[in-house]
Amino acid sequence: YTCAEIEGHTCRILQGADTDSGAVDALNAKVRRGERAEATVVNYKKGALRFVNHVTILPLFSTRVAASIGRSTAGAIAGSLASNTSSSCCHFIARLREVQARGSTS
């Protein structure tokens, strides 16, 4: 897709026949609650070319991250996930990793 083609759209533009709507709904629900979310999702490129992404979404909590300056990023994230009761989610980090399609022999 070009920038002009996707501008104003959500990730839903990448979903298609094999996209598991339950997995997408579960990801969205966890993000709305400010929780860590992870799933493997089938998406489609322009021209209906199927690809599979493993999606990991981590919430960042403002007071935990600010208090963790000087530690490693991984430590800051782990600390924010371990105890998020005294702070609010201010940002998310998403990691998408393309994986071999399930059942694919290539």
Side-chain angles (χ1 to χ4, degrees), residues 16-81:
D18 291 335
T19 303
D20 180 351
S21 62
V24 173
D25 291 345
L27 280 172
N28 288 332
K30 287 185 175 190
V31 167
R32 281 192 295 276
R33 291 191 305 264
E35 298 173 1
R36 182 183 194 277
E38 191 168 352
T40 300
V41 180
V42 175
N43 284 319
Y44 295 86
K45 297 178 183 182
K46 185 176 180 177
L49 180 62
R50 185 179 189 269
F51 69 101
V52 181
N53 267 341
H54 185 78
V55 181
T56 304
I57 303 170
L58 300 172
L60 297 179
F61 299 92
S62 59
T63 59
R64 298 290 182 230
V65 173
S68 299
I69 294 175
R71 296 187 204 164
S72 71
T73 302
I77 292 170
S80 70
L81 293 173

